Amino acid sequence: MNYQKNLKYFKSTDTHYYIGLPIFILGAIFFVMAYIFWTYLFWYQDFIGIALMIIGAMVAFIPRSFRSSEKDIDDAVAEMTKDYETNTAEELGLTSELLREQKPLLVGTYTYEDGSLYRRGKTDRKFRSDRYTAAAILFTRHGICISEKQFSLIDDTVTENTHEFHYTDIDGLFIETNEHRFTNGEKTATANLLVKTDGKTIFSLPVTQNATLDRTCEEINLRIKRIKKA
């Protein structure tokens, strides 16, 4: 992972892109008018068009080569979380204890905290931050084990914690949706996976909500109800 290029991604802006792109387009118009419509404002119009396109492309795209792209950031996250749930089960010695019908689940999301850097993708409009929280959720015969890992994308900081919950001690797993508002007024939807006991939250984990996670919560909650009724 290139921490310096990642840092530049979060700290830089696209000002150069919005300056260079119009210059490139203007040059393209000059060039097209000269060679397709045979419209010359002056005899060297085509050379000016080419020059403007080169300058515009350099202004718009060269600075971007010195920083990570949105794909680079996502790829770095994928590398840091690759096989995390499988490796966690092996490291904790829980492989033989896992439920056959409920596979380990890998969840994660970019997290937004005080002092963290963030940026909204220019193409996909997705918010990314310099911190990511991933978790391996393991379902055993007796309970749930959650290994939580938070890491930085701009330095080598990594923290990891493990939490265990017996089915008989908890109400279940629940998804809580919320909204995070940034200092510039922009906002994005957020979600947390909650573990509750007697109606109170005893553990909260930032996640990205999806159908798989929703279905898993429903299935585990049904299992908890059956165990408590037995």
Side-chain angles (χ1 to χ4, degrees), residues 212-226:
T212 300
L213 182 59
D214 289 340
R215 184 174 62 254
T216 298
C217 289
E218 292 176 1
E219 293 172 351
I220 289 301
N221 291 347
L222 287 174
R223 182 179 183 84
I224 290 173
K225 288 181 180 180
R226 288 197 298 266

Side-chain angles (χ1 to χ4, degrees), residues 21-215:
L21 186 60
I23 295 174
F24 178 86
I25 293 173
L26 180 61
I29 292 172
F30 269 53
F31 187 80
V32 169
M33 287 177 63
Y35 280 90
I36 295 182
F37 299 105
W38 299 94
T39 302
Y40 278 89
L41 299 179
F42 25 77
W43 67 270
Y44 47 85
Q45 177 179 327
D46 50 348
F47 296 107
I48 292 179
I50 293 174
L52 288 175
M53 284 192 291
I54 293 174
I55 293 172
M58 291 176 64
V59 172
F61 298 108
I62 287 181
R64 300 178 72 182
S65 66
F66 294 104
R67 73 184 191 205
S68 296
S69 65
E70 295 160 12
K71 182 179 183 301
D72 292 332
I73 297 295
D74 290 340
D75 286 347
V77 168
E79 183 62 29
M80 287 291 291
T81 58
K82 182 179 180 181
D83 298 327
Y84 183 51
E85 70 275 33
T86 304
N87 294 336
T88 297
E90 293 176 354
E91 290 172 5
L92 296 178
L94 295 176
T95 303
S96 61
E97 296 290 320
L98 297 178
L99 297 176
R100 291 184 178 180
E101 66 274 19
Q102 201 70 60
K103 294 183 179 180
L105 192 62
L106 174 65
V107 297
T109 186
Y110 293 95
T111 50
Y112 314 103
E113 304 170 1
D114 292 340
S116 64
L117 303 174
Y118 70 91
R119 182 171 182 166
R120 192 172 194 176
K122 187 172 68 66
T123 54
D124 61 8
R125 307 305 294 162
K126 175 182 176 180
F127 282 99
R128 294 171 176 81
S129 77
D130 63 331
R131 302 176 191 180
Y132 193 92
T133 298
I137 306 178
L138 312 177
F139 305 98
T140 70
R141 293 193 293 267
H142 306 292
I144 303 169
C145 179
I146 301 177
S147 181
E148 177 185 9
K149 177 168 70 172
Q150 185 180 78
F151 56 89
S152 170
L153 291 161
I154 59 174
D155 58 45
D156 59 359
T157 301
V158 179
T159 58
E160 200 163 1
N161 295 287
T162 302
H163 315 269
E164 294 185 44
F165 309 96
H166 289 281
Y167 295 128
T168 54
D169 296 334
I170 61 177
D171 300 337
L173 302 178
F174 306 90
I175 303 295
E176 178 185 64
T177 58
N178 213 320
E179 186 178 83
H180 180 83
R181 186 178 293 273
F182 298 99
T183 54
N184 64 355
E186 292 184 296
K187 53 188 178 182
T188 185
T190 60
N192 284 76
L193 176 67
L194 309 180
V195 179
K196 291 187 177 184
T197 295
D198 297 327
K200 297 180 180 179
T201 299
I202 60 172
F203 176 75
S204 178
L205 176 73
V207 295
T208 298
Q209 188 176 15
N210 54 49
T212 300
L213 182 59
D214 289 340
R215 184 174 62 254

